[in-house]
Amino acid sequence: MIKPHGGKLINRIADDESRNKLKEKAQNLKKIALNERETSDLEMIATGALSPLEGFMTSKDYKSVLEERHLSTGPVWTIPVVLSEKEGDDVEIGSEIALCQNGNILAVMEVEDKFTFDKEKEAQAVLRTTDKAHPGVQYLDSISNTYIGGKITLIEKPHYDDFNEFRLDPADTRKLFEEKGWKTITAFQTRNPIHRAHEYLQKCALEIVDALLIHPLMGATKGDDIPGDVRWQCYTTLLENYYPKDRVAISIFPAAMRYAGPSEAIFHAIARKNYGCTHFIVGRDHAGVGNYYGTYDAQLIFNEFDPKEIEITPLFFEHAFYCKVCGNMASTKTCPHSKEHHVFLSGTKVREMLRAGQKPPAEFTRPEVAEVLIRSMKNS
Ligand SMILES: [Zn+2]
């Protein structure tokens, strides 16, 4: 099985023996509230999804990530995983603090470092823009200019209202892959309903590997993305009707979106390696937003690293469509016909149709998925 990033799957979850003691101790520590992104980062650090990270970054790693796109200890890393100091926190280096979600203590952190940072510099290095309209820049504007770094120990996982049985940690997916005898597994990241075009990419990949892990992102996203429960229903409906059950798994990827395009594509690939996947599908404009990134930037960035450093194999895909002349799904790589023969609908057009109760053509969306979407539009 593929090794985790940095060689070892990190586990920063308190064991049963130490949990109660730690919980008791945490009651008397300074309590720090986590925002949504930090909560999801905390969980991912603790479960090893962000191996080799054992805590929120200190200035040494933070600087190294911004300037070298590697951790100070060597492994490739393109996204800062950081904890911002909130107003009135006054955290002291050398102290221990309790990290909380809505007043509920989730973890204890040993504060190793506290440092101020330059928001524009971070935005430019990670997001490749300082434009105030970019959601990542807006996030930076919403936090203080001080980060706190140090190792964490998780007492309790963040609380979620739904899908709890579908939140597999890296140790769980690795176990599952082993039990199933899958040697090569490709992950597919998504935050949208799966239309025929994405189904095609997944199935092209499935022709060359043992299995597919559909790994939808359910952490913090922009407000205009389709709600998680509706998307989930789309995925399960599609799997039920069109996918081979013994070669597909679905689980939630608990990351918060950064909309950092290329930097985030590398981050997403590395996290999937930690989940035990050997391949990762990278479409056009992966993790992009607006027009901030070139169509192929999220694919091209992989050329800037030694493949051995990243290890998980990226699978690059073009946009797919149904071609009426070919009589099947295709992309510009495989179909020689001109655009007027292709069934293509813009996101806006699809939403318009669904809102009017019209099913998009079956060449574009599976009718069962269209029904789920139409129903949700009526209820919203
Ligand atoms: Zn064609």
Side-chain angles (χ1 to χ4, degrees):
M1 184 160 288
I2 194 167
K3 280 204 177 117
H5 200 49
K8 184 179 129 213
L9 191 66
I10 298 300
N11 176 6
R12 298 294 302 174
I13 305 174
D15 55 31
D16 292 342
E17 241 169 84
S18 56
R19 181 173 293 117
N20 284 337
K21 253 191 207 159
L22 199 62
K23 206 170 174 176
E24 227 176 271
K25 180 167 120 181
Q27 304 293 340
N28 302 315
L29 298 176
K30 182 169 271 186
K31 295 182 183 57
I32 305 295
L34 302 176
N35 63 33
E36 213 175 339
R37 178 189 292 188
E38 293 161 348
T39 306
S40 106
D41 285 349
L42 171 76
E43 177 181 5
M44 291 181 70
I45 295 166
T47 62
L50 301 183
S51 297
L53 299 188
E54 297 186 273
F56 288 101
M57 285 178 182
T58 59
S59 57
K60 203 170 147 198
D61 273 331
Y62 174 78
K63 260 197 202 141
S64 177
V65 166
L66 257 52
E67 287 163 17
E68 316 284 342
R69 297 191 298 183
H70 286 75
L71 294 172
S72 61
T73 48
V76 173
W77 206 275
T78 51
I79 294 273
V81 176
V82 281
L83 175 60
S84 63
E85 191 180 48
K86 315 294 180 298
E87 213 189 315
D89 279 353
D90 289 324
V91 171
E92 280 174 39
I93 296 179
S95 68
E96 287 185 301
I97 53 175
L99 306 181
C100 306
Q101 174 196 37
N102 307 325
N104 205 14
I105 297 174
L106 298 183
V108 168
M109 174 168 152
E110 305 158 33
V111 182
E112 291 162 43
D113 198 6
K114 173 169 160 173
F115 56 100
T116 56
F117 68 101
D118 183 333
K119 291 182 181 182
E120 285 208 353
K121 196 178 160 194
E122 178 178 326
Q124 195 57 52
V126 180
L127 308 169
R128 301 186 177 184
T129 177
T130 54
D131 184 357
K132 299 283 180 207
H134 188 291
V137 176
Q138 288 172 358
Y139 173 82
L140 283 172
D141 278 340
S142 76
I143 60 175
S144 75
N145 64 348
T146 305
Y147 286 141
I148 323 163
K151 281 187 189 160
I152 58 99
T153 306
L154 192 82
I155 299 171
E156 198 179 304
K157 281 196 181 171
H159 173 80
Y160 298 103
D161 292 327
D162 36 24
F163 311 121
N164 286 306
E165 66 273 41
F166 297 105
R167 296 181 184 275
L168 301 182
D169 293 340
D172 302 325
T173 49
R174 285 173 169 271
K175 196 171 149 227
L176 176 77
F177 299 163
E178 209 169 286
E179 282 169 2
K180 298 264 189 190
W182 297 341
K183 299 269 183 282
T184 50
I185 304 102
T186 190
F188 183 85
Q189 135 99 34
T190 174
R191 55 179 204 270
N192 289 305
I194 295 173
H195 297 293
R196 291 292 298 274
H198 290 123
E199 181 183 333
Y200 174 71
L201 308 192
Q202 296 172 358
K203 289 185 171 175
C204 282
L206 204 41
E207 292 289 354
I208 58 163
V209 296
D210 295 340
L212 166 72
L213 173 66
I214 298 181
H215 217 194
L217 191 137
M218 295 284 197
T221 55
K222 291 188 285 115
D224 57 352
D225 286 345
I226 295 195
D229 55 336
V230 177
R231 283 191 289 134
W232 189 261
Q233 233 186 312
C234 290
Y235 302 145
T236 49
T237 304
L238 193 62
L239 289 187
E240 191 63 38
N241 292 288
Y242 296 98
Y243 285 63
K245 288 191 180 51
D246 54 344
R247 292 184 63 209
V248 180
I250 181 164
S251 168
I252 288 170
F253 183 53
M257 271 312 287
R258 262 92 172 166
Y259 300 97
S263 313
E264 200 162 4
I266 298 286
F267 178 73
H268 282 162
I270 285 169
R272 270 39 181 257
K273 172 167 93 169
N274 288 330
Y275 281 90
C277 298
T278 53
H279 295 71
F280 181 58
I281 294 173
V282 184
R284 285 174 29 158
D285 202 26
H286 182 98
V289 62
N291 295 316
Y292 292 101
Y293 308 107
T295 308
Y296 297 102
D297 284 0
Q299 301 182 348
L300 292 171
I301 191 173
F302 283 84
N303 298 338
E304 296 168 25
F305 298 91
D306 179 348
K308 280 192 225 99
E309 282 189 294
I310 295 185
E311 234 189 317
I312 184 168
T313 308
L315 300 174
F316 301 135
F317 281 98
E318 277 288 336
H319 278 332
F321 45 76
Y322 184 88
C323 172
K324 289 181 196 160
V325 183
C326 291
N328 52 28
M329 297 299 298
S331 78
T332 50
K333 275 177 159 174
T334 53
C335 158
H337 307 115
S338 56
K339 270 188 177 165
E340 71 257 29
H341 302 297
H342 300 164
V343 179
F344 176 80
L345 301 174
S346 69
T348 317
K349 178 75 193 161
V350 177
R351 275 191 293 274
E352 258 177 41
M353 291 184 78
L354 294 170
R355 219 170 280 132
Q358 291 170 328
K359 278 189 191 175
E363 293 87 355
F364 186 86
T365 303
R366 296 286 190 190
E368 296 86 347
V369 173
E371 265 167 40
V372 172
L373 290 169
I374 288 171
R375 232 182 295 134
S376 85
M377 294 272 180
K378 276 186 191 149
N379 296 340
S380 67

